[in-house]
Amino acid sequence: MSSRTLDAAASVDVAAGPAHRGRLGLGQGTALYVASVLGTGILVLPGLAAEAAGPASIVAVAAVLLLSIPLAGTFAALASRFPDAGGVASYVRRALGATAARMTGYWFFFGVCVGAPVVAILGGEYVVAVLGVDRAAVPVIALAVYVPPYLANWFGVRVAGWVQFALTGLLFAVVIGVVAATFPAVEPSNFTPFLPNGWEGVGTAISLFVWAFAGWEVGTHIAGEFRDPRRTIPIATAIAIVIVGVGYLALQVVTVGVLGERAGDGQVPLVDLVATTVPGIGPVLVAIVAAIVTVGVLNAYLPAFGKLGAALGRDGDLPRFFAKGAEDGAVPRRALVLTGTLMAVYFGFALVLELDLAPFILIHTSNMVAIYAVGMLAATLLLRRWSVGWWLAVVATVLSAGLLVLAWQNLYVPLALAAASVVVTVVRRARARRGPVAGR
């Protein structure tokens, strides 16, 4: 695509296109962003980050929060100016071509999907905490957590969006309750030494917390559903950044301040926190809410990957066999089978690693960072040069490149998927060259 074409695309204004008929206002849009970003990360990341970096994990949370500002701002600029259901992949295709867009699709489908066992195992961990049974039951319960959302999506049953928002709101209410109940028990001595594992530990904690702050790209997929995307999306994004950032920072402070060196020992840090100050019913309520929310997250997870797999099949990036169900309103059962198979394989690896979630979170986040880096680069080409959105994209591109450096040990998965997308391009071009000859 020529630079002139890109400049023309960048100058398109939403008002110049068809009138939007969306119904999402500021309140609903803010709830959507909070629901997309605030998820299962709060169930495990405070403990894992504290284990990696000690009290300096608070710095890691603050760093990822600061990164979120230009990142979320860039996505808001893209969504408000170019409403397109294709989201990041559509921007990458427009700015960088089909191979880069295919990479993005592979990173989502094969790489981000690594996070599915993490969600299921978290559900199992919290159910075990409620029941008080041996931790050996976690894998069985985790598999059971998979079943309701998988069956629901197989038969095309969807939980209403407002239910997903309500579940996330309930989880956020738990965070507020946990912070309020445990803050009086914070011990200043638990914040020393501040850097027990050096800055390398902070880097690991930052890589982990990318999981927590992933989701800002959600507005790019549903921008057309907003009543006034040009105005509402940036405001909703800004409010959500404040809400999510304050929530994660407060939770990290009390996790370190109350649990100290024990912060990374348990599998259910929220329950451990509440148990220190509000024993009895508090841990049970937290665990029940957490288990319910993990089922809700998987219910949102599965249809997204099913549709993505079908779309990849439709576009020839996966075998055409998987394309069935890509059309609106159809159930992508073949792609759901592929998604379920991938999840089963990843779950098997989790069992081999004795349910150690950190490697899976790091692989998941390395793919997300790769997606964000390419998406931000595309934004610098699409947004009007020297505009506020363009400057945010430039800053986000540099910061995303820094995250790639931090994640270098876990980049083998996105690099392998990028290589696979290049191979597909080479094979397609070779077939295209042979086609006319074979037809003579």
Side-chain angles (χ1 to χ4, degrees):
M1 185 178 288
S2 68
S3 59
R4 182 175 297 178
T5 303
L6 291 176
D7 289 340
S11 65
V12 173
D13 190 278
V14 172
H20 283 284
R21 298 181 180 179
R23 293 180 294 177
L24 288 178
L26 181 59
Q28 292 169 301
T30 302
L32 174 65
Y33 275 102
V34 172
S36 300
V37 180
L38 183 73
T40 54
I42 64 175
L43 302 180
V44 66
L45 287 181
L48 290 177
E51 185 179 23
S57 57
I58 299 168
V59 175
V61 179
V64 180
L65 175 59
L66 288 176
L67 168 65
S68 291
I69 295 173
L71 189 70
T74 302
F75 280 131
L78 287 169
S80 61
R81 288 163 175 77
F82 309 110
D84 190 297
V88 180
S90 70
Y91 306 136
V92 172
R93 186 178 300 275
R94 178 183 295 190
L96 301 173
T99 301
R102 187 179 304 114
M103 285 183 192
T104 306
Y106 285 179
W107 287 333
F108 267 118
F109 189 72
F110 295 102
V112 176
C113 191
V114 170
V118 176
V119 177
I121 291 168
L122 281 175
E125 295 282 10
Y126 276 85
V127 169
V128 164
V130 172
L131 299 178
V133 299
D134 191 272
R135 190 167 174 253
V138 169
V140 177
I141 297 173
L143 286 174
V145 168
Y146 273 129
V147 173
Y150 196 88
L151 288 177
N153 283 281
W154 183 265
F155 292 104
V157 178
R158 296 291 292 118
V159 175
W162 67 267
V163 175
Q164 299 287 353
F165 296 156
L167 290 175
T168 304
L170 185 60
L171 189 58
F172 190 63
V174 168
V175 173
I176 295 173
V178 167
V179 171
T182 58
F183 189 79
V186 168
E187 292 288 343
S189 60
N190 286 333
F191 294 94
T192 55
F194 191 72
L195 271 171
N197 300 323
W199 289 107
E200 183 179 353
V202 176
T204 300
I206 288 173
S207 296
L208 286 166
F209 258 101
V210 171
W211 169 291
F213 286 88
W216 295 115
E217 74 282 359
V218 66
T220 65
H221 295 279
I222 46 82
E225 301 299 321
F226 282 85
R227 199 161 38 235
D228 182 2
R230 195 70 180 263
R231 173 184 175 275
T232 305
I233 290 177
I235 298 175
T237 301
I239 296 173
I241 287 174
V242 173
I243 293 174
V244 173
V246 169
Y248 273 118
L249 278 171
L251 190 58
Q252 196 64 36
V253 168
V254 296
T255 297
V256 172
V258 174
L259 297 179
E261 294 182 353
R262 298 181 293 114
D265 294 344
Q267 305 299 322
V268 283
L270 283 185
V271 169
D272 294 339
L273 265 175
V274 176
T276 61
T277 54
V278 191
I281 192 64
V284 174
L285 289 176
V286 169
I288 291 173
V289 170
I292 292 172
V293 168
T294 55
V295 174
V297 168
L298 281 174
N299 185 71
Y301 215 109
L302 282 165
F305 281 99
K307 281 294 187 182
L308 175 58
L312 290 171
R314 178 200 62 202
D315 297 336
D317 297 328
L318 286 177
R320 298 279 182 185
F321 174 82
F322 296 108
K324 187 175 183 180
E327 59 273 13
D328 291 342
V331 180
R333 292 192 176 93
R334 294 176 181 179
L336 281 173
V337 170
L338 179 59
T339 303
T341 302
L342 277 175
M343 290 180 176
V345 170
Y346 296 150
F347 189 80
F349 282 123
L351 294 180
V352 170
L353 294 177
E354 298 180 345
L355 306 185
D356 182 7
L357 300 182
F360 294 89
I361 293 176
L362 289 171
I363 292 173
H364 170 100
T365 55
S366 68
N367 280 277
M368 287 304 305
V369 168
I371 292 166
Y372 284 164
V374 173
M376 294 301 99
L377 180 59
T380 62
L381 299 174
L382 291 174
L383 294 172
R384 183 169 53 83
R385 188 166 295 185
W386 315 122
S387 66
V388 173
W390 182 84
W391 278 113
L392 288 173
V394 170
V395 173
T397 300
V398 173
L399 293 176
S400 296
L403 282 179
L404 284 173
V405 173
L406 287 176
W408 69 270
Q409 291 178 312
N410 304 289
L411 289 179
Y412 53 89
V413 173
L415 286 174
L417 294 172
S421 68
V422 173
V423 169
V424 171
T425 296
V426 171
V427 170
R428 280 185 169 184
R429 288 177 179 174
R431 287 178 176 174
R433 284 195 297 267
R434 290 197 305 266
V437 175
R440 290 177 181 172

